Amino acid sequence: MSPTESARASFDDGLETYQESRELSPEQKVIEKQLVRTLDLRLLVWSCAGYFANGLDRNNMPYAYTSGMKEDLDLQSDEYNWAVTMFFIGYVVLQIPCNAIITRVRPSLMLPAIMFLWGAVVCFMALVQNHQGLYGLRICLGFAEAAFYPGMVYLLGSWYTKRELGSRTAIFVAGSQISGAFSGLISGAISQTLDGHNGLRGWRYLFIIEGLIAVFVSLFGFFVLPDTPSTTRFMTPEMREVAQLRLQRQGRQTTVTGFNWVTFRNLFTSPYILGYIVVFSIMQIGMQMLTQFPIVLKTMGYSTTWASYMNAPVWIVAAIVIIAQGYLSDWRYHRVWHIVGGAIITIIFYIILVAVNGGEVPTALLFVCVYFITPVLGISPIMMSWLNEFYSVDLETRALAIAATNSIGNLAPNFANVKIWLVTDAPAFRMGKIITMALMIVLVIIVLIMYWAQQKGYCLPKASQKIETESTISNKLGKQDDPETSVV
């Protein structure tokens, strides 16, 4: 027998040895149900509440703009857009370093701490007196929030299996959409009851109230969040063991190996990370019609209060659509086709917004189109689930890929939106709609090319080289035999 055949026979013996242990025992399946229930009650609920607070604090600029900030700070078109963009400058600078750190520290301490910090920054935004001060605090807010979204996506991917991850990521992301609804309700209520109270305009109260919500939610995170499957203190040893086994069955890496040349090769010597970044960037531009909706209504002649209240149902529907898309992607599993489907629906209704009456569509049709554009938001959690699974062979690669995609994918479109979605173009926003429609078509093409390349096995990420152990044999067995190991 040749050395190669001998090594293969030895490995096959290892596979046979672990064949029976690959499936969870009846007792372990009971523990798995308890584990998932615990994760849903602790990790998922807090992550959704945290992203709710994150969405309030990051996306309250349109409501502040229509609640007196424009007049008090004398904001011109470019100044408002730059105030929005300044957040993403800070957001990008720290996001990749923060997600590199999260593999080395306790997420249960890091994530609540940064939430407390950004809540305090938002409260201080109520004190600004000019657009320069607003710029400075928006950058600080970006620094503070940088670690939250990629850190939570990384943590979700560290616990949930491929049949659970899409729906859980969608529920997490839906927290931000629900915040869009409540931000409108909060803004409308403030405009009616607090605007001018004690000499403060409504936008200042908006920052104070929404900042305090983040501070409040952050305090619970110190007590409920898990760390990693091997280090979480409030779980029993049996639950930690099952948590690792069920991920290993899918070929998922569950231990930190340290940054090495394999990590950077996985990211920078293949085109996939660039594809994910471009897709995420286009998705961010695609949602701008929803983000600008209060300004569209205000410039059409409706009151600030009415515009805020009418925006709330849009985000409630968006949250429902996102969760439905996430569950469908788990059920049917092929992430790519759910991304393509959401993009095609979005393209159709952007075409209507451009074609009818030169972009100045009737109010009823405007509402219909805005509601049917909401599937663009479902692209984000499905794509992040796809990315989480695609880079699952190496923890460090996965952490950096998530951070790079989210940071650059947020920064690029926000610089572009400064000129694409000018507030002075409201309510038609014709140029913004046309460019967005074209970019969504590009998104579909890129996703299909990535799907084809991955199916062909081109430039797939590789795990760090390790000594063959019982754990790695078990991992390989799970990856070979588990039908859920497909990356798309």
Side-chain angles (χ1 to χ4, degrees):
M1 182 180 292
S2 69
T4 302
E5 291 172 337
S6 177
R8 179 61 190 172
S10 176
F11 180 68
D12 288 341
D13 289 341
L15 296 184
E16 184 176 353
T17 301
Y18 283 89
Q19 181 65 45
E20 295 183 8
S21 63
R22 184 177 67 87
E23 296 294 338
L24 298 179
S25 68
E27 294 79 8
Q28 288 176 326
K29 289 181 179 179
V30 172
I31 295 174
E32 182 183 31
K33 291 181 180 179
Q34 296 172 345
L35 171 68
V36 174
R37 183 164 57 249
T38 299
L39 290 173
D40 287 346
L41 290 176
R42 286 175 170 263
L43 172 58
L44 187 60
V45 170
W46 190 85
S47 70
C48 185
Y51 208 37
F52 171 85
N54 182 280
L56 286 179
D57 295 336
R58 180 168 59 172
N59 300 320
N60 53 16
M61 288 294 286
Y63 299 106
Y65 183 84
T66 57
S67 298
M69 186 175 69
K70 174 186 177 183
E71 295 76 17
D72 289 356
L73 303 186
D74 191 27
L75 292 180
Q76 305 304 315
S77 174
D78 279 355
E79 290 171 348
Y80 168 78
N81 282 340
W82 277 111
V84 173
T85 299
M86 287 297 167
F87 166 87
F88 292 97
I89 295 175
Y91 197 62
V92 167
V93 169
L94 288 185
Q95 195 163 120
I96 294 176
C98 283
N99 237 37
I101 292 171
I102 203 170
T103 64
R104 295 281 189 260
V105 301
R106 293 179 57 190
S108 63
L109 297 179
M110 178 178 173
L111 295 173
I114 62 174
M115 183 184 294
F116 185 93
L117 179 61
W118 92 57
V121 171
V122 173
C123 289
F124 284 122
M125 285 173 63
L127 303 177
V128 299
Q129 301 297 324
N130 51 51
H131 70 271
Q132 291 91 342
L134 182 62
Y135 287 176
L137 285 178
R138 287 286 293 179
I139 291 177
C140 291
L141 181 62
F143 286 147
E145 290 193 11
F148 184 75
Y149 178 86
M152 285 307 315
V153 171
Y154 170 81
L155 193 58
L156 290 168
S158 298
W159 284 96
Y160 287 110
T161 66
K162 295 179 180 181
R163 291 294 182 184
E164 301 161 350
L165 186 57
S167 56
R168 268 62 175 193
T169 306
I171 292 172
F172 160 60
V173 171
S176 181
Q177 318 315 322
I178 296 171
S179 77
F182 276 86
S183 190
L185 296 175
I186 292 170
S187 176
I190 288 173
S191 297
Q192 285 187 317
T193 60
L194 290 178
D195 190 25
H197 188 66
N198 291 329
L200 294 179
R201 294 298 304 274
W203 65 274
R204 297 186 188 274
Y205 281 108
L206 182 68
F207 286 143
I208 293 170
I209 292 171
E210 294 185 349
L212 289 176
I213 290 173
V215 171
F216 177 75
V217 173
S218 71
L219 299 178
F220 290 92
F222 293 106
F223 304 99
V224 303
L225 270 189
D227 292 310
T228 65
S230 61
T231 61
T232 297
R233 299 179 180 182
F234 61 77
M235 288 186 178
T236 64
E238 292 78 15
M239 291 179 75
R240 291 198 296 268
E241 180 185 8
V242 169
Q244 294 177 76
L245 284 175
R246 68 200 209 105
L247 295 176
Q248 290 170 357
R249 289 177 59 240
Q250 298 183 342
R252 307 272 289 278
Q253 177 60 260
T254 59
T255 58
V256 175
T257 58
F259 292 99
N260 51 58
W261 72 273
V262 174
T263 302
F264 298 100
R265 183 191 65 189
N266 285 339
L267 285 180
F268 302 120
T269 63
S270 77
Y272 294 114
I273 188 63
L274 179 61
Y276 285 121
I277 290 171
V278 173
V279 169
F280 196 79
S281 298
I282 295 174
M283 184 278 298
Q284 293 290 330
I285 295 174
M287 64 180 282
Q288 281 303 302
M289 188 63 203
L290 303 174
T291 304
Q292 304 291 351
F293 192 46
I295 294 176
V296 172
L297 294 176
K298 180 73 182 294
T299 53
M300 288 175 68
Y302 297 103
S303 69
T304 299
T305 302
W306 192 87
S308 297
Y309 284 152
M310 289 300 99
N311 197 48
V314 174
W315 294 106
I316 294 294
V317 170
I320 295 171
V321 169
I322 288 171
I323 294 172
Q325 287 174 278
Y327 271 100
L328 283 172
S329 75
D330 277 350
W331 177 45
R332 305 300 299 175
Y333 196 64
H334 292 288
R335 311 283 189 204
V336 166
W337 304 117
H338 296 277
I339 294 173
V340 170
I344 290 174
I345 293 172
T346 302
I347 291 167
I348 291 171
F349 285 92
Y350 264 112
I351 291 173
I352 295 172
L353 286 170
V354 170
V356 175
N357 200 25
E360 305 244 6
V361 298
T363 302
L365 183 58
L366 172 65
F367 272 84
V368 170
C369 290
V370 166
Y371 278 102
F372 275 94
I373 285 173
T374 54
V376 70
L377 299 170
I379 293 174
S380 170
I382 297 173
M383 195 210 76
M384 280 298 181
S385 298
W386 178 18
L387 182 151
N388 236 324
E389 295 155 3
F390 182 66
Y391 289 109
S392 64
V393 294
D394 183 70
L395 285 180
E396 286 76 12
T397 301
R398 181 163 63 88
L400 292 185
I402 292 168
T405 299
N406 190 60
S407 59
I408 302 173
N410 270 293
L411 182 66
N414 276 277
F415 274 110
N417 286 331
V418 170
K419 296 300 182 182
I420 294 175
W421 289 86
L422 288 170
V423 291
T424 50
D425 289 345
F429 283 118
R430 182 171 175 81
M431 179 177 68
K433 294 172 184 174
I434 292 173
I435 294 175
T436 301
M437 177 183 66
L439 288 174
M440 291 300 298
I441 296 173
V442 173
L443 180 150
V444 172
I445 295 171
I446 292 174
V447 167
L448 292 176
I449 291 173
M450 290 174 64
Y451 172 73
W452 174 81
Q454 290 180 10
Q455 291 297 300
K456 293 293 184 181
Y458 295 138
C459 300
L460 299 181
K462 295 178 174 59
S464 298
Q465 295 298 317
K466 305 177 183 68
I467 296 173
E468 201 75 79
T469 65
E470 292 184 353
S471 175
T472 54
I473 291 174
S474 180
N475 286 358
K476 290 181 179 179
L477 172 63
K479 189 171 183 179
Q480 176 176 327
D481 294 340
D482 197 322
E484 298 179 2
T485 55
S486 172
V487 297
V488 289

